[in-house]
Amino acid sequence: MIEALFFYLFAGVMLASGFMVVVSRNPVYSVLFLILAFFNAAGMFVLIGAEFLAMLLVVVYVGAVAVLFLFVVMMLDINFAEMRAGFQKYLPLGLIVGGILVFELVAAMYGDAFSKASLPVASEVPNTTQLGGVLYTKYAFLFQISGLILLVAMIGAISLTMRKRVGVRRQSIADQNSRRREDVMEIVKMPSDKTKAKDDAAAGSVDDK
Amino acid sequence: MIEFLTQDWILELGWIVAKIMVVIGPLLIAVAYLTLAERRVIGFMQLRKGPNVVGPFGLFQPFADALKLMAKETIMPAGANKVVFMIAPMLTFILSLVAWAVIPFGEDLVIADINVGILYLFAISSLGVYGVIMAGWASNSKYAFLGALRSAAQMVSYEVSMGLVIINVLLCAGSLNLSAIVEAQRGMWFALPLLPMFVVFFISTLAETNRAPFDLPEGESELVAGYFVEYSSMSFALFFLGEYANMILMSSMTVVLFLGGWLPPFDIWPLNIIPGPLWFIIKIMMVLFVFLWVRATTPRYRYDQLMRLGWKIFLPFSLIYVVLTAGFLLVTDRLPTVALS
């Protein structure tokens, strides 16, 4: 009973916030509603007993990806009127894509994909262990490949944004630490007798006054 | 429906609420006294006395501060986004409290003993950035916004190396459950074999809580007060309380991961009669003292140095250490094993 209550709460808030992501006038609100949707998805994961996936969803999507979204969206200078002008033009395309997704989901629901048999079986072993058990044995290669794809994406992003500018003074801590006293400092022996100091004073140095 | 309402879940709910109150009440008092301890400790380190007038040894100072804050006027900047502006401090404060649900104060002394406790803590601590960034954006002020941007970049950067440090601990403990992690340290605290990671983790917690020497988001000299510059009265107080509650939370995370939680240093007579929760609190206080000590003795980092430390030193170092730890455990056949299926 309570579980069902929570399911409808999470599902309802998720759908509502998903809708708000699309219709919000302010893109910052869109991202904030997206975060709310992520949260409710995590709550649904907890309800079916997949606590590891729930935490991962929060750590990866809410804690990292959405922060960067928010970061970018907040700094954008968007003309809202211009953005809404394209609405009519893109509506058919959006409806087609949405229609295909709904069709696929319904087809999967009445097919075998969501049958009870594929639901996780509650067991004593925590699902973190279970996930690790298949991820590093049965799907080890797929796991490695997805890691490699991410690595390529990362290197791509770095090589796209990295630029060498001339005339920028950069701090090189290794250089700073490897400086030795002999390279940068010279001890000069100065005569310290009084006659010389007196000569300087007589020559009218202002320092004394 | 009547049956549903009269079931004993109401009793259960009451019990849970009572447990939450038992944690939150002392926590808020601890937060209040942490602010006093900070001012006193830094005062002594700088050869001053610190606040010592209100009550004996200045012990009533936190209450005087709280009264003063409550009596002040809440100011809403004219150009602010009102909804987000009010949500931000609440979010910061709530996030700093909900994480305490999984902290084990002693054997079986935990509100929610969940399997993925450490991930939950990690997730909640990574959400702290939202309060900051929302406050900065909603204030509609240059200083607040710059402070928020700095803070967001900083917290995301240091989370990465924190995650890798946590993997080191998990490799040794073989569980994501915080009580199990503490139990795994019965022979030796993880601070000893993982000493470099302990240091990296502690420095990362300093950055994560925006404390000196990484307090650039609120660098007074350039940003006035950073992201909460436009806040006043209780909304400011919520940020303030949230920051200090986060400090205590991070200290307790350090204690659970590296300093053996509620376990005594040695399982010998005079030490093991002290109850576990007391050990836990003593250790938290020691870590907090180091927080204050660092603040009193180190100058603030420059922003590029901060980013360099996070990405170019801590990240590769903790990654290499993960490989080393895993390799060592594999070779010496000490990897914790778990039953599959």
Side-chain angles (χ1 to χ4, degrees):
Chain A
M1 176 78 187
I2 289 181
E3 212 162 282
L5 219 68
F6 272 110
F7 172 78
Y8 286 112
L9 178 74
F10 287 145
V13 175
M14 193 163 116
L15 285 178
S17 52
F19 184 70
M20 290 305 290
V21 172
V22 185
V23 299
S24 283
R25 280 165 169 266
N26 191 334
V28 172
Y29 285 171
S30 291
V31 180
L32 293 178
F33 277 116
L34 185 67
I35 293 161
L36 191 61
F38 280 145
F39 249 112
N40 286 286
M44 306 246 276
F45 270 131
V46 170
L47 281 186
I48 60 165
E51 71 257 9
F52 183 73
L53 285 180
M55 289 306 144
L56 226 55
L57 188 73
V58 176
V59 171
V60 175
Y61 284 93
V62 183
V65 175
V67 172
L68 297 179
F69 273 10
L70 202 59
F71 210 93
V72 171
V73 166
M74 279 179 177
M75 287 196 287
L76 288 179
D77 186 23
I78 302 173
N79 186 345
F80 297 116
E82 203 173 277
M83 238 174 67
R84 298 199 73 79
F87 185 71
Q88 301 262 313
K89 205 169 70 182
Y90 295 122
L91 188 64
L93 189 69
L95 281 180
I96 291 171
V97 173
I100 292 173
L101 282 177
V102 168
F103 173 73
E104 282 178 351
L105 210 59
V106 171
M109 210 143 63
Y110 287 101
D112 271 347
F114 286 158
S115 70
K116 280 278 177 205
S118 62
L119 275 179
V121 192
S123 84
E124 283 297 299
V125 181
N127 58 49
T128 316
T129 318
Q130 288 176 335
L131 262 179
V134 288
L135 209 56
Y136 293 109
T137 52
K138 199 172 166 192
Y139 301 111
F141 285 113
L142 290 175
F143 183 66
Q144 297 278 328
I145 288 170
S146 52
L148 279 178
I149 293 173
L150 286 176
L151 180 69
V152 169
M154 191 171 83
I155 294 173
I158 292 172
S159 68
L160 279 176
T161 51
M162 179 110 143
R163 51 185 180 146
K164 278 263 180 286
R165 279 180 297 176
V166 285
V168 179
R169 289 162 62 94
R170 287 183 186 281
Q171 184 184 23
S172 166
I173 291 179
D175 281 359
Q176 286 180 348
N177 284 339
S178 63
R179 268 163 42 129
R180 285 171 306 155
R181 198 178 68 173
E182 299 88 72
D183 300 339
V184 291
M185 207 170 92
E186 191 182 359
I187 296 177
V188 184
K189 262 240 171 320
M190 292 294 283
S192 59
D193 51 328
K194 283 190 177 154
T195 51
K196 193 173 181 300
K198 215 171 262 174
D199 288 349
D200 286 350
S205 106
V206 253
D207 299 24
D208 294 345
K209 311 241 158 134
Chain B
M1 198 65 194
I2 306 275
E3 205 175 71
F4 168 67
L5 282 176
T6 52
Q7 268 167 0
D8 53 3
W9 67 270
I10 293 181
L11 209 70
E12 210 171 301
L13 194 73
W15 175 234
I16 292 173
V17 171
K19 281 200 282 191
I20 293 173
M21 286 305 151
V22 166
V23 173
I24 301 275
L27 176 68
L28 290 182
I29 294 173
V31 166
Y33 277 97
L34 179 58
T35 62
L36 177 70
E38 171 166 45
R39 293 160 75 184
R40 291 287 281 182
V41 167
I42 293 180
F44 283 126
M45 283 183 185
Q46 296 168 346
L47 294 179
R48 314 179 267 117
K49 284 202 154 102
N52 63 346
V53 178
V54 190
F57 308 107
L59 279 178
F60 297 147
Q61 182 72 39
F63 301 105
D65 288 343
L67 277 176
K68 184 202 77 172
L69 271 175
M70 276 185 245
K72 291 210 165 186
E73 183 191 354
T74 309
I75 297 167
M76 179 78 72
N81 187 318
K82 295 195 172 50
V83 181
V84 182
F85 188 81
M86 286 323 289
I87 289 177
M90 296 180 201
L91 188 74
T92 307
F93 188 60
I94 291 169
L95 284 175
S96 67
L97 295 186
V98 290
W100 286 91
V102 295
I103 298 282
F105 291 89
E107 237 170 326
D108 296 325
L109 274 181
V110 51
I111 296 177
D113 193 20
I114 62 175
N115 279 333
V116 287
I118 188 67
L119 275 180
Y120 175 83
L121 268 187
F122 192 55
I124 297 295
S125 72
S126 72
L127 295 180
V129 66
Y130 281 110
V132 172
I133 201 168
M134 280 162 76
W137 177 77
S139 300
N140 200 14
S141 145
K142 290 186 202 65
Y143 297 118
F145 191 54
L146 280 173
L149 289 185
R150 280 183 177 189
S151 177
Q154 173 181 332
M155 289 167 106
V156 170
S157 304
Y158 278 85
E159 241 157 55
V160 184
S161 53
M162 251 172 94
L164 284 169
V165 172
I166 289 174
I167 291 178
N168 273 297
V169 174
L170 297 183
L171 274 172
C172 298
S175 174
L176 292 171
N177 181 301
L178 290 172
S179 304
I181 290 175
V182 173
E183 276 305 322
Q185 301 179 59
R186 203 166 266 286
M188 191 191 338
W189 296 357
F190 288 150
L192 287 175
L194 299 175
L195 184 66
M197 287 300 99
F198 176 49
V199 175
V200 169
F201 187 81
F202 181 72
I203 297 174
S204 298
T205 56
L206 287 179
E208 192 76 9
T209 47
N210 293 330
R211 290 286 300 180
F214 305 107
D215 55 348
L216 287 129
E218 44 202 81
E220 298 89 353
S221 50
E222 59 234 59
L223 291 178
V224 193
Y227 58 88
F228 53 70
V229 67
E230 302 291 344
Y231 285 86
S232 61
S233 181
M234 277 318 282
S235 52
F236 169 76
L238 285 183
F239 270 122
F240 197 67
L241 292 175
E243 187 184 327
Y244 282 83
N246 259 333
M247 270 169 71
I248 305 180
L249 176 72
M250 285 293 170
S251 308
S252 64
M253 208 164 149
T254 314
V255 169
V256 166
L257 290 180
F258 290 101
L259 297 176
W262 66 81
L263 299 173
F266 301 102
D267 202 5
I268 49 174
W269 173 67
L271 294 178
N272 58 16
I273 54 165
I274 300 176
L278 201 61
W279 271 120
F280 190 64
I281 290 166
I282 291 170
K283 287 174 189 173
I284 289 180
M285 284 183 348
M286 285 165 78
V287 178
L288 281 173
F289 177 77
V290 183
F291 263 77
L292 307 181
W293 188 9
V294 167
R295 177 170 170 197
T297 46
T298 52
R300 185 175 294 147
Y301 260 61
R302 212 173 58 207
Y303 200 69
D304 61 318
Q305 290 170 334
L306 172 116
M307 283 294 158
R308 180 180 175 275
L309 184 69
W311 287 108
K312 292 189 178 171
I313 298 174
F314 281 179
L315 182 60
F317 182 54
S318 46
L319 193 58
I320 289 170
Y321 215 85
V322 169
V323 178
L324 283 180
T325 310
F328 177 78
L329 290 173
L330 193 67
V331 168
T332 56
D333 206 22
R334 286 171 201 218
L335 269 180
T337 48
V338 276
L340 276 178
S341 86

